[in-house]
């Protein structure tokens, strides 16, 4: 079968591989090369070694956005997963209306980042009106605003995954715990959570990488204001490319560092939680 | 757990959930009431219901639709989403089948590259991708489909391939021995089996492509504005925003999403779970 299928390479594999090369592979390789070049268009690039990386680290806005992004990703990962898991526990107790509740809680996830950002800008500005401030008065407001957006958007999504995880726990295990006289807290701590480690892996992975890659919500909610203090990494990179001529190489270098950072976080996080997974 | 239930506890939990759900709906409700208010009252009293003095009827909607040409944005969004998702389904299911069934060094390297591409953030390729798109004249609503297939290929191929790996070869081999060409085998035997995965892939990609901002903005955004781009354009230069029109357009942008959700809710939820487990 392999032989006869191989003759059809052009039909089955080529379209996908061409698209992949045009949209991802070639741009990615070019991107890596251009990180070490000075350029304004792709054709006028010339090699400058590590100069872009040096410029990147003396750029305060980059270090600020890196720090801002790290803080944001940590806060969001903790809060989103805390609430998502809590709601998942509640919604697997067969309380009346469970399906309607799930439907409502998941809905914000389908709304696009730009729209989400604007919705919350109105609300947060409305709340801050009392204090004669707006969301761009203080970077603190922008930070917590972004946390609100992310929570509103992602709690339902993670909750759905946690619900699936809880429903996968074998009822034998839970009954055994009950017969042994385990209380609610002990059952949660020693039975439910350990047998759901793979679900935690997935949800934490998704939250951390989404937190790092956040762009649309950031653009619509604060656009980085005041004074680029709420500019997250993804937005900082876009602004370096398209906001400052002559700094395209620095932008590409930032993007490379960003990619490596996301990859390192993703892998170490997978490794860390995977090692705690247990077979039920 | 079939334990004795305490009705008071159940009632309290029901109430807690009810309150949380109402809180979840409040943001949309606030945008809705503000979409009927004159823009000056949106900033001064955002949380009050429209009253005689603040109510402007459909004016914001008319204004907004005109300002951002909402219906053409809607058409571009719909066209790009529908055809990108169909193309992703067809192209990556074929690719996934080929890469799974043909075992060579080349196919395993390609598979590895596709999987790795899933974690790379868009910013890494955005500049070079938009330049490539420009050079090859992919900077139009048809060409952008190629970019969506290419950038989305990683996840979708991975999901199709994951499913195909769990399916025994026997059926396909039997068909081939009976003289079916790979084309017949794929379209008559493999593709129908892939239906559940295809639904998952479609759902995940629809949510991505419909809401995507940066990719279309950088490649086609000035000539063909999709809904997210059109909405962001309301901001205009120097942060001056017509908040009345903005509220109305946010509502119009949410209506198709909510419709989509209510018609395919079951698939969306299943798709999210399946996608998460694979990812």
């Amino acid at each position: 079968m392999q032989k006869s299928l191989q003759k059809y390479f052009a039909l089955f594999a080529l379209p996908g591989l061409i698209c992949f090369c045009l949209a991802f592979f070639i741009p990615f390789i070019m991107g890596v090369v251009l990180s070490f070049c000075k350029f304004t268009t792709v054709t006028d690039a010339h090699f400058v070694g590590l100069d872009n990386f040096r410029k990147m680290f003396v750029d305060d806005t980059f270090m600020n956005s890196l720090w801002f992004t790290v803080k944001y990703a940590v806060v969001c990962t903790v809060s989103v997963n805390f609430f998502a898991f809590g709601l998942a526990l509640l919604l697997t107790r067969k309380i009346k209306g469970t399906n309607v509740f799930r439907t409502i809680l998941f809905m914000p996830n389908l709304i696009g980042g730009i729209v989400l950002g604007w919705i919350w800008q109105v609300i947060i500005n409305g709340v801050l009106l009392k204090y004669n401030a707006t969301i761009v008065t203080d970077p603190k407001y922008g930070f917590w605003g972004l946390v609100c957006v992310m929570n509103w958007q992602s709690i339902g999504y993670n909750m759905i995954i946690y619900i699936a995880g809880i429903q996968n726990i074998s009822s034998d295990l839970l009954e055994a715990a009950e017969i042994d006289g385990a209380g609610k807290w002990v059952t949660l701590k020693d039975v439910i959570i350990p047998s759901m480690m793979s679900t935690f892996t997935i949800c934490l992975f998704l939250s951390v990488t989404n937190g790092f890659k956040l762009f649309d919500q950031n653009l619509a909610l604060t656009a980085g204001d005041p004074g680029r203090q709420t500019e997250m990494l993804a937005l900082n990179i876009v602004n370096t490319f398209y906001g400052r001529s002559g700094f395209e190489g620095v932008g590409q270098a930032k993007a490379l560092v960003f990619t490596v950072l996301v990859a390192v976080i993703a892998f170490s996080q997978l490794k860390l939680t995977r090692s705690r997974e247990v077979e039920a | 757990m079939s334990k004795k239930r305490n009705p008071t506890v159940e009632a309290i939990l029901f109430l807690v959930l009810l309150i949380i759900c109402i809180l979840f709906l409040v943001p949309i409700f606030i945008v809705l009431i503000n979409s009927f208010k004159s823009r000056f009252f949106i900033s001064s009293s955002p949380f009050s219901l429209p009253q005689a003095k603040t109510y402007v009827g459909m004016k914001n909607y008319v204004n907004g639709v005109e300002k951002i040409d909402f219906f053409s944005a809607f058409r571009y969004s719909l066209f790009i989403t529908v055809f990108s998702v169909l193309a992703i389904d067809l192209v990556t299911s074929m690719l996934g089948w080929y890469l799974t069934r043909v075992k060579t060094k080349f196919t395993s390297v390609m598979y590895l590259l596709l999987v790795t591409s899933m974690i790379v953030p868009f910013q890494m390729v955005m500049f070079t991708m938009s330049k490539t798109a420009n050079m090859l004249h992919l900077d139009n609503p048809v060409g952008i489909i190629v970019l969506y297939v290419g950038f989305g290929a990683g996840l979708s191929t991975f999901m199709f391939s994951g499913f195909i790996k769990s399916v025994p070869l026997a059926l396909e081999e039997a068909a081939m021995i009976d003289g079916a060409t790979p084309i017949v085998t794929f379209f008559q035997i493999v593709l129908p089996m892939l239906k559940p995965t295809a639904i998952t892939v479609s759902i995940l990609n629809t949510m991505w492509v419909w809401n995507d901002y940066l990719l279309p903005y950088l490649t086609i955004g000035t000539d063909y504005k999709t809904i997210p781009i059109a909405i962001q354009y309301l901001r205009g230069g120097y942060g001056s925003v017509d908040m009345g029109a903005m509220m109305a357009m946010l509502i119009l942008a949410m209506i198709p999403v909510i419709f989509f959700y209510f018609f395919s809710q079951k698939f969306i939820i299943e798709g999210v779970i399946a996608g998460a487990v694979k990812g």
Side-chain angles (χ1 to χ4, degrees), chain B residues 44-61:
Chain B
S44 65
S45 53
F47 300 132
S48 56
L49 286 165
Q51 286 144 358
K53 196 172 68 164
T54 58
Y55 181 74
V56 292
M58 298 306 283
K59 206 177 129 223
N60 289 330
Y61 286 86

mmCIF file with all atom_site columns, all heavy atoms in Angstrom, chain B residues 44-61:
data_model
loop_
_atom_site.group_PDB
_atom_site.id
_atom_site.type_symbol
_atom_site.label_atom_id
_atom_site.label_alt_id
_atom_site.label_comp_id
_atom_site.label_asym_id
_atom_site.label_entity_id
_atom_site.label_seq_id
_atom_site.pdbx_PDB_ins_code
_atom_site.Cartn_x
_atom_site.Cartn_y
_atom_site.Cartn_z
_atom_site.occupancy
_atom_site.B_iso_or_equiv
_atom_site.pdbx_formal_charge
_atom_site.auth_seq_id
_atom_site.auth_comp_id
_atom_site.auth_asym_id
_atom_site.auth_atom_id
_atom_site.pdbx_PDB_model_num
ATOM 1   N N   . SER B 1 44 ? -20.156 59.169 30.277 1.00 0.00 ? 44 SER B N   1
ATOM 2   C CA  . SER B 1 44 ? -20.524 59.788 31.553 1.00 0.00 ? 44 SER B CA  1
ATOM 3   C C   . SER B 1 44 ? -21.399 58.894 32.424 1.00 0.00 ? 44 SER B C   1
ATOM 4   O O   . SER B 1 44 ? -21.338 58.964 33.633 1.00 0.00 ? 44 SER B O   1
ATOM 5   C CB  . SER B 1 44 ? -21.210 61.137 31.318 1.00 0.00 ? 44 SER B CB  1
ATOM 6   O OG  . SER B 1 44 ? -22.426 60.936 30.646 1.00 0.00 ? 44 SER B OG  1
ATOM 7   N N   . SER B 1 45 ? -22.239 58.060 31.821 1.00 0.00 ? 45 SER B N   1
ATOM 8   C CA  . SER B 1 45 ? -23.050 57.163 32.656 1.00 0.00 ? 45 SER B CA  1
ATOM 9   C C   . SER B 1 45 ? -23.195 55.806 31.963 1.00 0.00 ? 45 SER B C   1
ATOM 10  O O   . SER B 1 45 ? -24.262 55.483 31.449 1.00 0.00 ? 45 SER B O   1
ATOM 11  C CB  . SER B 1 45 ? -24.414 57.775 32.945 1.00 0.00 ? 45 SER B CB  1
ATOM 12  O OG  . SER B 1 45 ? -25.038 58.160 31.735 1.00 0.00 ? 45 SER B OG  1
ATOM 13  N N   . PRO B 1 46 ? -22.123 55.034 31.955 1.00 0.00 ? 46 PRO B N   1
ATOM 14  C CA  . PRO B 1 46 ? -22.115 53.795 31.180 1.00 0.00 ? 46 PRO B CA  1
ATOM 15  C C   . PRO B 1 46 ? -23.020 52.696 31.714 1.00 0.00 ? 46 PRO B C   1
ATOM 16  O O   . PRO B 1 46 ? -23.391 51.809 30.966 1.00 0.00 ? 46 PRO B O   1
ATOM 17  C CB  . PRO B 1 46 ? -20.646 53.352 31.236 1.00 0.00 ? 46 PRO B CB  1
ATOM 18  C CG  . PRO B 1 46 ? -20.087 54.014 32.438 1.00 0.00 ? 46 PRO B CG  1
ATOM 19  C CD  . PRO B 1 46 ? -20.842 55.280 32.624 1.00 0.00 ? 46 PRO B CD  1
ATOM 20  N N   . PHE B 1 47 ? -23.367 52.749 32.996 1.00 0.00 ? 47 PHE B N   1
ATOM 21  C CA  . PHE B 1 47 ? -24.103 51.620 33.554 1.00 0.00 ? 47 PHE B CA  1
ATOM 22  C C   . PHE B 1 47 ? -25.605 51.834 33.676 1.00 0.00 ? 47 PHE B C   1
ATOM 23  O O   . PHE B 1 47 ? -26.326 50.968 34.132 1.00 0.00 ? 47 PHE B O   1
ATOM 24  C CB  . PHE B 1 47 ? -23.515 51.226 34.921 1.00 0.00 ? 47 PHE B CB  1
ATOM 25  C CG  . PHE B 1 47 ? -22.072 50.820 34.829 1.00 0.00 ? 47 PHE B CG  1
ATOM 26  C CD1 . PHE B 1 47 ? -21.126 51.338 35.702 1.00 0.00 ? 47 PHE B CD1 1
ATOM 27  C CD2 . PHE B 1 47 ? -21.652 49.932 33.848 1.00 0.00 ? 47 PHE B CD2 1
ATOM 28  C CE1 . PHE B 1 47 ? -19.794 50.974 35.601 1.00 0.00 ? 47 PHE B CE1 1
ATOM 29  C CE2 . PHE B 1 47 ? -20.324 49.554 33.738 1.00 0.00 ? 47 PHE B CE2 1
ATOM 30  C CZ  . PHE B 1 47 ? -19.396 50.076 34.606 1.00 0.00 ? 47 PHE B CZ  1
ATOM 31  N N   . SER B 1 48 ? -26.090 53.038 33.299 1.00 0.00 ? 48 SER B N   1
ATOM 32  C CA  . SER B 1 48 ? -27.533 53.252 33.426 1.00 0.00 ? 48 SER B CA  1
ATOM 33  C C   . SER B 1 48 ? -28.240 52.866 32.136 1.00 0.00 ? 48 SER B C   1
ATOM 34  O O   . SER B 1 48 ? -27.664 52.906 31.055 1.00 0.00 ? 48 SER B O   1
ATOM 35  C CB  . SER B 1 48 ? -27.804 54.719 33.765 1.00 0.00 ? 48 SER B CB  1
ATOM 36  O OG  . SER B 1 48 ? -27.219 55.531 32.777 1.00 0.00 ? 48 SER B OG  1
ATOM 37  N N   . LEU B 1 49 ? -29.492 52.489 32.283 1.00 0.00 ? 49 LEU B N   1
ATOM 38  C CA  . LEU B 1 49 ? -30.280 52.133 31.109 1.00 0.00 ? 49 LEU B CA  1
ATOM 39  C C   . LEU B 1 49 ? -30.542 53.383 30.274 1.00 0.00 ? 49 LEU B C   1
ATOM 40  O O   . LEU B 1 49 ? -30.569 54.493 30.808 1.00 0.00 ? 49 LEU B O   1
ATOM 41  C CB  . LEU B 1 49 ? -31.612 51.512 31.552 1.00 0.00 ? 49 LEU B CB  1
ATOM 42  C CG  . LEU B 1 49 ? -31.523 50.098 32.105 1.00 0.00 ? 49 LEU B CG  1
ATOM 43  C CD1 . LEU B 1 49 ? -32.811 49.735 32.832 1.00 0.00 ? 49 LEU B CD1 1
ATOM 44  C CD2 . LEU B 1 49 ? -31.234 49.104 30.986 1.00 0.00 ? 49 LEU B CD2 1
ATOM 45  N N   . PRO B 1 50 ? -30.740 53.232 28.970 1.00 0.00 ? 50 PRO B N   1
ATOM 46  C CA  . PRO B 1 50 ? -31.030 54.413 28.162 1.00 0.00 ? 50 PRO B CA  1
ATOM 47  C C   . PRO B 1 50 ? -32.346 55.069 28.603 1.00 0.00 ? 50 PRO B C   1
ATOM 48  O O   . PRO B 1 50 ? -33.316 54.375 28.895 1.00 0.00 ? 50 PRO B O   1
ATOM 49  C CB  . PRO B 1 50 ? -31.147 53.850 26.746 1.00 0.00 ? 50 PRO B CB  1
ATOM 50  C CG  . PRO B 1 50 ? -30.915 52.403 26.810 1.00 0.00 ? 50 PRO B CG  1
ATOM 51  C CD  . PRO B 1 50 ? -30.679 51.996 28.202 1.00 0.00 ? 50 PRO B CD  1
ATOM 52  N N   . GLN B 1 51 ? -32.329 56.388 28.699 1.00 0.00 ? 51 GLN B N   1
ATOM 53  C CA  . GLN B 1 51 ? -33.551 57.115 29.042 1.00 0.00 ? 51 GLN B CA  1
ATOM 54  C C   . GLN B 1 51 ? -33.880 58.065 27.909 1.00 0.00 ? 51 GLN B C   1
ATOM 55  O O   . GLN B 1 51 ? -33.112 58.162 26.955 1.00 0.00 ? 51 GLN B O   1
ATOM 56  C CB  . GLN B 1 51 ? -33.329 57.921 30.324 1.00 0.00 ? 51 GLN B CB  1
ATOM 57  C CG  . GLN B 1 51 ? -33.308 57.045 31.564 1.00 0.00 ? 51 GLN B CG  1
ATOM 58  C CD  . GLN B 1 51 ? -32.321 57.529 32.606 1.00 0.00 ? 51 GLN B CD  1
ATOM 59  O OE1 . GLN B 1 51 ? -31.611 58.526 32.373 1.00 0.00 ? 51 GLN B OE1 1
ATOM 60  N NE2 . GLN B 1 51 ? -32.269 56.836 33.713 1.00 0.00 ? 51 GLN B NE2 1
ATOM 61  N N   . ALA B 1 52 ? -34.999 58.749 28.055 1.00 0.00 ? 52 ALA B N   1
ATOM 62  C CA  . ALA B 1 52 ? -35.467 59.637 26.984 1.00 0.00 ? 52 ALA B CA  1
ATOM 63  C C   . ALA B 1 52 ? -34.341 60.534 26.470 1.00 0.00 ? 52 ALA B C   1
ATOM 64  O O   . ALA B 1 52 ? -34.142 60.710 25.267 1.00 0.00 ? 52 ALA B O   1
ATOM 65  C CB  . ALA B 1 52 ? -36.624 60.481 27.497 1.00 0.00 ? 52 ALA B CB  1
ATOM 66  N N   . LYS B 1 53 ? -33.547 61.072 27.413 1.00 0.00 ? 53 LYS B N   1
ATOM 67  C CA  . LYS B 1 53 ? -32.519 62.040 27.051 1.00 0.00 ? 53 LYS B CA  1
ATOM 68  C C   . LYS B 1 53 ? -31.329 61.370 26.356 1.00 0.00 ? 53 LYS B C   1
ATOM 69  O O   . LYS B 1 53 ? -30.677 61.962 25.503 1.00 0.00 ? 53 LYS B O   1
ATOM 70  C CB  . LYS B 1 53 ? -32.038 62.735 28.340 1.00 0.00 ? 53 LYS B CB  1
ATOM 71  C CG  . LYS B 1 53 ? -31.270 64.011 28.095 1.00 0.00 ? 53 LYS B CG  1
ATOM 72  C CD  . LYS B 1 53 ? -31.006 64.729 29.406 1.00 0.00 ? 53 LYS B CD  1
ATOM 73  C CE  . LYS B 1 53 ? -30.044 63.931 30.264 1.00 0.00 ? 53 LYS B CE  1
ATOM 74  N NZ  . LYS B 1 53 ? -29.442 64.665 31.371 1.00 0.00 ? 53 LYS B NZ  1
ATOM 75  N N   . THR B 1 54 ? -31.043 60.119 26.762 1.00 0.00 ? 54 THR B N   1
ATOM 76  C CA  . THR B 1 54 ? -29.821 59.483 26.258 1.00 0.00 ? 54 THR B CA  1
ATOM 77  C C   . THR B 1 54 ? -30.094 58.532 25.100 1.00 0.00 ? 54 THR B C   1
ATOM 78  O O   . THR B 1 54 ? -29.189 58.141 24.391 1.00 0.00 ? 54 THR B O   1
ATOM 79  C CB  . THR B 1 54 ? -29.148 58.684 27.390 1.00 0.00 ? 54 THR B CB  1
ATOM 80  O OG1 . THR B 1 54 ? -30.063 57.716 27.894 1.00 0.00 ? 54 THR B OG1 1
ATOM 81  C CG2 . THR B 1 54 ? -28.695 59.586 28.507 1.00 0.00 ? 54 THR B CG2 1
ATOM 82  N N   . TYR B 1 55 ? -31.350 58.154 24.896 1.00 0.00 ? 55 TYR B N   1
ATOM 83  C CA  . TYR B 1 55 ? -31.693 57.148 23.894 1.00 0.00 ? 55 TYR B CA  1
ATOM 84  C C   . TYR B 1 55 ? -31.602 57.715 22.483 1.00 0.00 ? 55 TYR B C   1
ATOM 85  O O   . TYR B 1 55 ? -32.123 58.800 22.212 1.00 0.00 ? 55 TYR B O   1
ATOM 86  C CB  . TYR B 1 55 ? -33.110 56.644 24.185 1.00 0.00 ? 55 TYR B CB  1
ATOM 87  C CG  . TYR B 1 55 ? -33.597 55.574 23.247 1.00 0.00 ? 55 TYR B CG  1
ATOM 88  C CD1 . TYR B 1 55 ? -33.114 54.277 23.342 1.00 0.00 ? 55 TYR B CD1 1
ATOM 89  C CD2 . TYR B 1 55 ? -34.533 55.874 22.258 1.00 0.00 ? 55 TYR B CD2 1
ATOM 90  C CE1 . TYR B 1 55 ? -33.563 53.295 22.476 1.00 0.00 ? 55 TYR B CE1 1
ATOM 91  C CE2 . TYR B 1 55 ? -34.996 54.894 21.394 1.00 0.00 ? 55 TYR B CE2 1
ATOM 92  C CZ  . TYR B 1 55 ? -34.501 53.605 21.501 1.00 0.00 ? 55 TYR B CZ  1
ATOM 93  O OH  . TYR B 1 55 ? -34.947 52.635 20.651 1.00 0.00 ? 55 TYR B OH  1
ATOM 94  N N   . VAL B 1 56 ? -30.926 57.000 21.594 1.00 0.00 ? 56 VAL B N   1
ATOM 95  C CA  . VAL B 1 56 ? -30.828 57.505 20.220 1.00 0.00 ? 56 VAL B CA  1
ATOM 96  C C   . VAL B 1 56 ? -31.340 56.504 19.188 1.00 0.00 ? 56 VAL B C   1
ATOM 97  O O   . VAL B 1 56 ? -31.122 56.656 17.992 1.00 0.00 ? 56 VAL B O   1
ATOM 98  C CB  . VAL B 1 56 ? -29.372 57.878 19.848 1.00 0.00 ? 56 VAL B CB  1
ATOM 99  C CG1 . VAL B 1 56 ? -28.901 59.083 20.626 1.00 0.00 ? 56 VAL B CG1 1
ATOM 100 C CG2 . VAL B 1 56 ? -28.430 56.693 20.023 1.00 0.00 ? 56 VAL B CG2 1
ATOM 101 N N   . GLY B 1 57 ? -32.002 55.456 19.653 1.00 0.00 ? 57 GLY B N   1
ATOM 102 C CA  . GLY B 1 57 ? -32.542 54.476 18.716 1.00 0.00 ? 57 GLY B CA  1
ATOM 103 C C   . GLY B 1 57 ? -31.452 53.756 17.955 1.00 0.00 ? 57 GLY B C   1
ATOM 104 O O   . GLY B 1 57 ? -30.438 53.383 18.529 1.00 0.00 ? 57 GLY B O   1
ATOM 105 N N   . MET B 1 58 ? -31.631 53.606 16.654 1.00 0.00 ? 58 MET B N   1
ATOM 106 C CA  . MET B 1 58 ? -30.688 52.826 15.864 1.00 0.00 ? 58 MET B CA  1
ATOM 107 C C   . MET B 1 58 ? -29.558 53.680 15.283 1.00 0.00 ? 58 MET B C   1
ATOM 108 O O   . MET B 1 58 ? -28.795 53.225 14.444 1.00 0.00 ? 58 MET B O   1
ATOM 109 C CB  . MET B 1 58 ? -31.423 52.121 14.709 1.00 0.00 ? 58 MET B CB  1
ATOM 110 C CG  . MET B 1 58 ? -32.472 51.123 15.159 1.00 0.00 ? 58 MET B CG  1
ATOM 111 S SD  . MET B 1 58 ? -31.809 49.887 16.299 1.00 0.00 ? 58 MET B SD  1
ATOM 112 C CE  . MET B 1 58 ? -30.939 48.816 15.175 1.00 0.00 ? 58 MET B CE  1
ATOM 113 N N   . LYS B 1 59 ? -29.468 54.921 15.738 1.00 0.00 ? 59 LYS B N   1
ATOM 114 C CA  . LYS B 1 59 ? -28.517 55.853 15.115 1.00 0.00 ? 59 LYS B CA  1
ATOM 115 C C   . LYS B 1 59 ? -27.087 55.324 15.132 1.00 0.00 ? 59 LYS B C   1
ATOM 116 O O   . LYS B 1 59 ? -26.356 55.412 14.134 1.00 0.00 ? 59 LYS B O   1
ATOM 117 C CB  . LYS B 1 59 ? -28.579 57.197 15.840 1.00 0.00 ? 59 LYS B CB  1
ATOM 118 C CG  . LYS B 1 59 ? -28.164 58.354 14.954 1.00 0.00 ? 59 LYS B CG  1
ATOM 119 C CD  . LYS B 1 59 ? -28.302 59.687 15.666 1.00 0.00 ? 59 LYS B CD  1
ATOM 120 C CE  . LYS B 1 59 ? -27.010 60.463 15.534 1.00 0.00 ? 59 LYS B CE  1
ATOM 121 N NZ  . LYS B 1 59 ? -26.589 61.113 16.774 1.00 0.00 ? 59 LYS B NZ  1
ATOM 122 N N   . ASN B 1 60 ? -26.665 54.760 16.281 1.00 0.00 ? 60 ASN B N   1
ATOM 123 C CA  . ASN B 1 60 ? -25.307 54.233 16.378 1.00 0.00 ? 60 ASN B CA  1
ATOM 124 C C   . ASN B 1 60 ? -25.063 53.111 15.369 1.00 0.00 ? 60 ASN B C   1
ATOM 125 O O   . ASN B 1 60 ? -23.980 52.987 14.814 1.00 0.00 ? 60 ASN B O   1
ATOM 126 C CB  . ASN B 1 60 ? -25.041 53.694 17.781 1.00 0.00 ? 60 ASN B CB  1
ATOM 127 C CG  . ASN B 1 60 ? -24.930 54.805 18.803 1.00 0.00 ? 60 ASN B CG  1
ATOM 128 O OD1 . ASN B 1 60 ? -24.504 55.903 18.461 1.00 0.00 ? 60 ASN B OD1 1
ATOM 129 N ND2 . ASN B 1 60 ? -25.321 54.517 20.031 1.00 0.00 ? 60 ASN B ND2 1
ATOM 130 N N   . TYR B 1 61 ? -26.107 52.303 15.189 1.00 0.00 ? 61 TYR B N   1
ATOM 131 C CA  . TYR B 1 61 ? -25.960 51.174 14.264 1.00 0.00 ? 61 TYR B CA  1
ATOM 132 C C   . TYR B 1 61 ? -25.797 51.678 12.833 1.00 0.00 ? 61 TYR B C   1
ATOM 133 O O   . TYR B 1 61 ? -24.925 51.233 12.091 1.00 0.00 ? 61 TYR B O   1
ATOM 134 C CB  . TYR B 1 61 ? -27.168 50.236 14.377 1.00 0.00 ? 61 TYR B CB  1
ATOM 135 C CG  . TYR B 1 61 ? -27.132 49.408 15.648 1.00 0.00 ? 61 TYR B CG  1
ATOM 136 C CD1 . TYR B 1 61 ? -27.643 49.913 16.840 1.00 0.00 ? 61 TYR B CD1 1
ATOM 137 C CD2 . TYR B 1 61 ? -26.562 48.153 15.653 1.00 0.00 ? 61 TYR B CD2 1
ATOM 138 C CE1 . TYR B 1 61 ? -27.593 49.183 18.010 1.00 0.00 ? 61 TYR B CE1 1
ATOM 139 C CE2 . TYR B 1 61 ? -26.505 47.396 16.822 1.00 0.00 ? 61 TYR B CE2 1
ATOM 140 C CZ  . TYR B 1 61 ? -27.017 47.926 17.997 1.00 0.00 ? 61 TYR B CZ  1
ATOM 141 O OH  . TYR B 1 61 ? -26.954 47.180 19.148 1.00 0.00 ? 61 TYR B OH  1
#
